[in-house]
Amino acid sequence: MSPPHRKPPQMSLSFMLLMNVIFCVLAGAVYWASRVPAVASEVSVLLGGSGGGSGSGSRKMHVIFVMFTYTAPLLLAGVLSTLLGFWRYFERRRSG
């Protein structure tokens, strides 16, 4: 008796685009984290280096990083929801 034929797993284009957007947002977060002196010094200590002091612009960059980290998921959800709404609106107009 032969095993049943299964379709290979496939990913849709929309899922691949969503994953691309998510990874781009994560890359942006890592970029901002690398520019925050407090985070950079903690990573340096974690990797066996010596921790550096914080500069004068440290506070501003830290606040930007924290706000980006907290608001990125909300902004991403809002943008994706808006795009999906436009997509559905134009699909209804085209089929109707």
Side-chain angles (χ1 to χ4, degrees):
M1 196 167 170
S2 65
H5 294 285
R6 293 186 183 176
K7 289 175 58 176
Q10 296 180 350
M11 290 178 25
S12 68
L13 181 62
S14 60
F15 179 74
M16 288 191 321
L17 289 173
L18 175 64
M19 293 306 294
N20 191 14
V21 168
I22 290 172
F23 285 130
C24 287
V25 170
L26 287 175
V30 170
Y31 170 73
W32 275 105
S34 69
R35 295 191 59 184
V36 174
V39 175
S41 68
E42 288 296 323
V43 171
S44 174
V45 168
L46 181 66
L47 296 177
S50 62
S54 59
S56 62
S58 165
R59 179 76 177 148
K60 180 181 176 186
M61 293 176 83
H62 196 213
V63 168
I64 290 172
F65 171 69
V66 169
M67 292 306 294
F68 176 80
T69 303
Y70 285 142
T71 60
L74 180 62
L75 292 174
L76 182 62
V79 167
L80 291 176
S81 175
T82 303
L83 289 175
L84 186 61
F86 282 134
W87 179 278
R88 288 180 180 165
Y89 173 76
F90 287 121
E91 283 293 315
R92 277 189 302 217
R93 287 193 66 190
R94 189 169 28 152
S95 65

